Amino acid sequence: MALLEAQNLEKNYADGTRALRGASFSIEKGEFVAIIGPSGSGKSTLLHILGFLDHESSGVYRYDGKRADDFEDKEIAVVRNEKFGFIFQAFNLLGKMSVYENVRLPLLYSGTPEAEWDEKIRKAIRSVGLEERTDHDAAKLSGGEKQRVAIARALVNNPQVIFADEPTGNLDSASGGAVMKIIAGLHEAGHTIILITHETYTAEYADRIIKIKDGLVESDEKVLHKNTARDNFQK
Amino acid sequence: MRLRYSLQTAINGLRDHKSRSLLTILGIVIGITSIIAVMSLGQGAQDLILGEISGLGGNTVVIRPGREPEGPTDIASTIFGDSLKARDLVQLQRKSNVPALTDLMPIVIVSGSASYRGETYQPDIIGGSAEFFANSFDIFPEEGVLFTESEIRARATVAVIGAKVKKELFGESSAVGESIAIKDKKFKVVGVLPDKGQVAFLNFNNMIILPYTTAQSYLVGTNYYNEIIVKLESTDAVARSVTDIEETLRQSHNISDPSKDDFYVVTQQGLVDQIKTIINVLTVFLSSVVAIALVVGGVGVMNIMLVSVTERTREIGLRKALGASTSDILTQFLLEAILLTLIGGVIGIILGASISYAAALVLSNVFLLNWSFTFPIGAAILGVAVSIIVGLIFGIYPARQASRKSPIEALRYE
């Protein structure tokens, strides 16, 4: 059974825009899938639906065999909290909070016993190499560091799937490379990764690339010359 | 989300906008301050008045003309009532009619000023019996004597004056034997009361006591009394004597139907109940007026919370993406609103109590009233409860707005 399964997903916005026109594919547990396409192709909309941040207008989306429509609001919150981790292009950190507090955010809404929080937070921060910055204000970090904090936050609840929406979009090539290496490392550690990007080179960190054009799947192929966590990142 | 962290988030939210938060709670502070001050001062007034009443003694009852006041027209009938007359005194004093009666005194209230050699003063002029006052309130002249029953019967133009009246009209010189003018009529001062301040409603310092017969004949020109004060053998005799008095006066006034009574008898307990009712009604009325300030404050809180929700749209979206449920967001913003109003409430309670404490100091030290400060614990609890309720009522709408935001629309918000 596929972990994520999309069947004829369509998404129409109130202003008449048809972001998705019937996208279908499935993703297995442990895969690293890049969804690429030009701006406006519907790739971000697709990620939002897959990540339970938005609803499809028609078609069927199943997570772990269960239709998205059958999840109640509270269950959706639990899935977002415990099963999914999000990395956004704009980082979306709370600037007035410290690195530690930002990484702690998902734990506030989880059932994890409070006694385990500190260890989990520090482990996540360590895994992105920011232990020196633990008590710094998030607002004072560089772009690359901010994205690493966002990755630590996505990781802290050890989610099954990590959704990364243009994670290198706001970064210089060195920082972007570092971020992609961390994401590739997460895949190697067993996480399922869904990466949205418009950069072919970034997409080549994945095992599989789904090309989206005009709201439809244009191609769905395995990557032959895969970048790895050890490769240098170049734009 | 655990309550501790919800609370911490709410506190952080307020701390990030200190001046805005302070200005927002101002309305709540004003509202709660006023409620606490009104209730505390109301309690002080009640304690003062009830203390004064108890000074009268439980065996004293008061007969008043008109109907027992239940509304403004009844109060008017009491003020302008002319049903209590000399024949009633005779009937009441008959042992067979009211066996427990030991003494009585009709009261005639005179309005006007008193003058002596060009000095004019506005005292409280009461026609009554100087001996009755002296015995009832234990206040005897420090100079001169009281006027007697025979002087009352003779409608003598004599007066006993209070310490302040003496000082205003005579200064340091002696008043006894001198004549003062009230409404162009000369009255000989026979006694000066000591400086005793307020005793049971009555400020003897500011009083001129004349024989009630003289007041009726020469000053007000009426043949009725404003009230009759009756002293009974004991407190136990009050209930029975009230019935005796009522039956005697009905007979005297030819009334067969008690609902048509043109007088009523006020016992000390009745007076206490009446005054409590009046003060409570006044307190509730004033508090209701003040509650408007709270509503205005609440609207201010709602307004600022709506601004805060809009400002933090992206944060709401992020929290939802990270697993916050609708109720988590609702709780967070509701707690923030309640925290705002609660802080306002606590400041209001402290300010309100301080104001009534200061008022108590002024009233007792400057106006020499027997006024004591009472911290209204009931009002303080009410203040806390009201501020929480205001926070709940005016916070629920912005909090619902926040909790209903779609995470992705919120994250896209610029």
Side-chain angles (χ1 to χ4, degrees):
Chain A
M1 183 179 64
L3 184 63
L4 311 176
E5 190 183 357
Q7 287 177 356
N8 288 317
L9 288 186
E10 290 190 20
K11 179 70 184 178
N12 306 316
Y13 289 107
D15 65 359
T17 310
R18 292 186 69 193
L20 293 175
R21 297 161 185 259
S24 299
F25 56 87
S26 59
I27 294 169
E28 300 297 324
K29 196 174 169 186
E31 271 194 289
F32 186 166
V33 179
I35 299 173
I36 66 168
S39 182
S41 58
K43 57 187 189 302
S44 284
T45 302
L46 189 57
L47 178 127
H48 296 151
I49 292 171
L50 298 181
F52 279 0
L53 297 177
D54 207 352
H55 294 285
E56 66 278 12
S57 304
S58 68
V60 175
Y61 167 49
R62 284 192 181 85
Y63 166 69
D64 217 6
K66 186 173 173 181
R67 283 175 67 127
D69 290 346
D70 295 337
F71 282 86
E72 290 186 5
D73 279 356
K74 285 211 161 186
E75 289 177 298
I76 286 175
V78 171
V79 171
R80 280 189 208 134
N81 182 248
E82 294 177 357
K83 303 289 183 187
F84 295 169
F86 294 95
I87 303 165
F88 302 99
Q89 180 177 359
F91 323 129
N92 286 327
L93 301 180
L94 298 182
K96 285 176 180 163
M97 286 187 180
S98 67
V99 168
Y100 186 95
E101 288 168 325
N102 268 286
V103 175
R104 187 181 64 187
L105 274 174
L107 290 170
L108 298 180
Y109 304 107
S110 75
T112 311
E114 213 171 322
E116 296 172 20
W117 288 9
D118 188 63
E119 194 192 332
K120 282 175 177 284
I121 296 163
R122 292 190 187 280
K123 187 179 165 195
I125 294 173
R126 206 163 43 242
S127 73
V128 296
L130 282 179
E131 50 275 51
E132 301 289 312
R133 296 269 196 262
T134 304
D135 298 319
H136 280 57
D137 278 354
K140 291 178 182 160
L141 302 178
S142 70
E145 287 173 329
K146 282 181 182 165
Q147 196 57 298
R148 278 148 70 190
V149 176
I151 294 172
R153 183 181 63 193
L155 271 182
V156 75
N157 265 341
N158 193 26
Q160 196 173 28
V161 188
I162 292 175
F163 296 95
D165 189 1
E166 302 273 13
T168 59
N170 283 3
L171 303 178
D172 59 50
S173 58
S175 305
V179 163
M180 280 316 300
K181 274 187 212 168
I182 295 169
I183 292 174
L186 295 177
H187 174 234
E188 283 171 16
H191 296 278
T192 305
I193 311 281
I194 318 280
L195 169 73
I196 299 285
T197 182
H198 63 276
E199 300 157 342
T200 312
Y201 188 82
T202 305
E204 285 172 356
Y205 276 87
D207 302 321
R208 180 180 156 199
I209 296 177
I210 298 174
K211 275 190 188 163
I212 300 284
K213 194 179 174 192
D214 298 331
L216 286 165
V217 174
E218 191 183 52
S219 68
D220 185 348
E221 293 168 345
K222 292 274 179 200
V223 176
L224 298 176
H225 304 289
K226 188 173 177 267
N227 285 326
T228 70
R230 287 169 297 280
D231 290 340
N232 287 326
F233 185 86
Q234 290 169 331
K235 279 198 171 178
Chain B
M1 189 173 173
R2 288 153 178 84
L3 190 65
R4 179 156 71 94
Y5 289 98
S6 298
L7 207 59
Q8 197 180 26
T9 309
I11 292 168
N12 289 343
L14 300 181
R15 208 176 42 197
D16 289 345
H17 301 98
K18 278 195 202 79
S19 21
R20 188 169 82 186
S21 303
L22 280 174
L23 286 172
T24 307
I25 62 175
L26 203 59
I28 305 294
V29 170
I30 293 169
I32 299 286
T33 302
S34 316
I35 284 186
I36 298 292
V38 162
M39 292 185 87
S40 178
L41 291 173
Q43 186 64 49
Q46 187 163 311
D47 292 347
L48 173 78
I49 294 169
L50 297 185
E52 299 294 341
I53 293 169
S54 59
L56 269 176
N59 59 338
T60 307
V61 299
V62 178
I63 307 166
R64 291 201 177 127
R67 264 199 310 272
E68 191 152 9
E70 282 166 10
T73 49
D74 295 337
I75 291 171
S77 81
T78 294
I79 294 168
F80 301 110
D82 59 356
S83 59
L84 300 176
K85 295 183 178 155
R87 61 169 197 269
D88 298 324
L89 297 187
V90 177
Q91 293 301 323
L92 289 168
Q93 276 169 318
R94 280 210 177 125
K95 207 69 187 162
S96 56
N97 283 340
V98 189
L101 184 144
T102 56
D103 198 2
L104 58 68
M105 171 177 71
I107 296 270
V108 176
I109 296 166
V110 181
S111 63
S113 56
S115 57
Y116 173 75
R117 289 189 186 167
E119 295 291 338
T120 302
Y121 184 63
Q122 193 87 34
D124 301 325
I125 307 169
I126 288 181
S129 152
E131 284 177 352
F132 187 98
F133 272 123
N135 291 327
S136 299
F137 300 106
D138 193 27
I139 180 165
F140 292 89
E142 61 176 4
E143 273 182 71
V145 293
L146 300 166
F147 55 80
T148 61
E149 284 301 313
S150 57
E151 282 173 309
I152 293 175
R153 279 195 297 276
R155 297 178 188 180
T157 50
V158 289
V160 171
I161 63 174
K164 187 155 198 282
V165 180
K166 188 249 170 194
K167 198 172 176 199
E168 292 292 333
L169 293 179
F170 297 94
E172 297 305 317
S173 56
S174 174
V176 174
E178 299 296 319
S179 286
I180 54 171
I182 302 171
K183 290 190 174 176
D184 299 331
K185 184 84 187 163
K186 296 276 183 193
F187 286 82
K188 187 178 158 197
V189 177
V190 293
V192 178
L193 297 174
D195 184 352
K196 204 165 178 182
Q198 192 91 7
V199 182
F201 295 115
L202 303 168
N203 183 358
F204 282 100
N205 286 356
N206 203 41
M207 200 180 275
I208 295 181
I209 306 169
L210 314 168
Y212 60 89
T213 48
T214 317
Q216 277 187 319
S217 303
Y218 301 122
L219 297 178
V220 291
T222 59
N223 61 348
Y224 57 84
Y225 310 121
N226 295 96
E227 58 186 38
I228 300 171
I229 298 176
V230 176
K231 266 205 174 303
L232 301 165
E233 278 167 3
S234 66
T235 319
D236 297 338
V238 170
R240 196 188 66 233
S241 300
V242 167
T243 314
D244 291 342
I245 291 167
E246 285 172 344
E247 281 172 4
T248 306
L249 291 181
R250 271 180 211 130
Q251 215 169 12
S252 172
H253 296 185
N254 291 323
I255 293 167
S256 51
D257 179 2
S259 69
K260 298 213 162 77
D261 280 355
D262 55 3
F263 64 89
Y264 63 98
V265 182
V266 183
T267 60
Q268 191 186 320
Q269 191 51 48
L271 205 60
V272 167
D273 292 344
Q274 264 185 16
I275 284 168
K276 271 188 179 167
T277 309
I278 291 168
I279 291 178
N280 285 343
V281 167
L282 270 177
T283 307
V284 167
F285 172 73
L286 285 173
S287 302
S288 320
V289 172
V290 161
I292 295 168
L294 272 181
V295 172
V296 174
V299 172
V301 169
M302 181 154 73
N303 187 25
I304 273 316
M305 287 311 297
L306 282 171
V307 170
S308 176
V309 167
T310 308
E311 273 180 0
R312 286 151 70 190
T313 298
R314 276 180 79 86
E315 178 193 326
I316 294 163
L318 174 72
R319 286 181 184 273
K320 282 199 147 184
L322 299 181
S325 64
T326 302
S327 64
D328 285 328
I329 301 292
L330 186 89
T331 310
Q332 180 191 326
F333 281 89
L334 207 51
L335 266 178
E336 209 168 302
I338 290 172
L339 209 62
L340 264 179
T341 53
L342 193 60
I343 293 170
V346 170
I347 297 174
I349 289 168
I350 295 167
L351 268 180
S354 309
I355 288 172
S356 44
Y357 181 69
L361 280 182
V362 171
L363 288 167
S364 56
N365 293 327
V366 179
F367 293 94
L368 302 174
L369 290 175
N370 186 22
W371 190 289
S372 59
F373 166 72
T374 330
F375 180 74
I377 294 173
I381 294 169
L382 183 77
V384 169
V386 165
S387 27
I388 290 175
I389 291 167
V390 169
L392 259 176
I393 292 172
F394 292 96
I396 193 86
Y397 177 69
R400 275 174 73 93
Q401 295 284 95
S403 69
R404 285 177 168 180
K405 284 189 186 293
S406 137
I408 202 60
E409 279 171 23
L411 277 171
R412 279 196 197 122
Y413 184 82
E414 294 295 338

